[in-house]
Amino acid sequence: MCWKTLLLLLLCYDAQATVSHRWSRAVLFPAAHRPKRSSSVPLNPILQSSLEEVELLYEFLLAELEISPDLQISIKDEELASLRKASDFRAVCNDIIPKRVPDIRRLSATLSSHPGVLKKEDFERTALTLAYAAYRTALSQGHQKDIWAQSLRSLFQALRRDLMRSSGPRVSP
């Protein structure tokens, strides 16, 4: 009877480990894995898959961005906004990254307990959330500025921690 219990526990542990590993990406940015009917953008879009796309993302961030009262982000430069990658950029910024302080705090708390190195798409989304928090910090005043600055600092610390982990010594199996 004891070996059956042990086998059952091992199977449950294996199933739990498989499920948690399989869905670990959805924890940080759940909106990236939910299809939107109104959007023609692919599920879980990734902005940077080559050096050219990294440079293009940098151009998007340097271009003048506009944030509407309903927190929709758009690129003011019409030439940049017409590029195919700009639609992915808008989808990530408008549909995936958190824009409210409680959501950003939740992300920061999750990142602080995240084991290992972030996946590329999670890192870029966290960096975009950091850029958004910096923008909101610059526009805020008084107590709101302090709240946004705290969110900005916690995101920066999470990205810094991830960079330190990824550049640290690697242990060979």
Side-chain angles (χ1 to χ4, degrees):
M1 186 67 121
C2 184
W3 68 272
K4 290 180 182 179
T5 307
L6 181 61
L7 182 61
L8 181 62
L9 286 174
L10 285 173
L11 287 174
C12 288
Y13 175 76
D14 185 47
Q16 185 180 23
T18 303
V19 169
S20 65
H21 176 70
R22 180 177 176 195
W23 296 107
S24 64
R25 286 193 311 185
V27 173
L28 293 176
F29 296 94
H33 301 278
R34 278 187 236 128
K36 267 197 146 178
R37 291 183 197 166
S38 63
S39 179
S40 62
V41 176
L43 188 64
N44 194 19
I46 298 172
L47 297 176
Q48 328 172 45
S49 55
S50 68
L51 182 58
E52 291 79 23
E53 289 178 351
V54 171
E55 291 170 353
L56 188 59
L57 178 60
Y58 185 68
E59 283 186 51
F60 289 156
L61 292 173
L62 284 180
E64 193 172 350
L65 296 177
E66 184 175 49
I67 299 179
S68 67
D70 63 342
L71 304 179
Q72 294 296 304
I73 298 171
S74 60
I75 303 169
K76 280 190 175 181
D77 184 328
E78 290 180 20
E79 186 179 337
L80 281 176
S82 67
L83 296 173
R84 187 179 321 161
K85 266 304 189 189
S87 65
D88 288 348
F89 177 78
R90 280 189 302 275
V92 169
C93 290
N94 293 326
D95 301 332
I96 296 175
I97 67 168
K99 293 190 199 78
R100 297 176 340 149
V101 172
D103 298 332
I104 292 173
R105 285 185 176 169
R106 192 173 307 113
L107 173 64
S108 296
T110 306
L111 287 170
S112 68
S113 63
H114 189 271
V117 178
L118 292 174
K119 294 181 177 10
K120 178 173 48 176
E121 60 268 21
D122 291 335
F123 184 87
E124 80 180 16
R125 291 169 186 159
T126 305
L128 287 171
T129 306
L130 177 83
Y132 177 78
Y135 179 81
R136 290 297 300 262
T137 302
L139 292 180
S140 300
Q141 296 176 352
H143 182 65
Q144 286 295 314
K145 188 174 195 94
D146 294 339
I147 291 171
W148 278 106
Q150 176 60 32
S151 298
L152 178 66
R153 186 170 62 92
S154 61
L155 286 170
F156 172 77
Q157 288 172 341
L159 285 175
R160 182 174 170 256
R161 192 172 31 257
D162 183 66
L163 288 171
M164 297 297 278
R165 284 182 188 148
S166 66
S167 64
R170 300 240 160 73
V171 178
S172 299

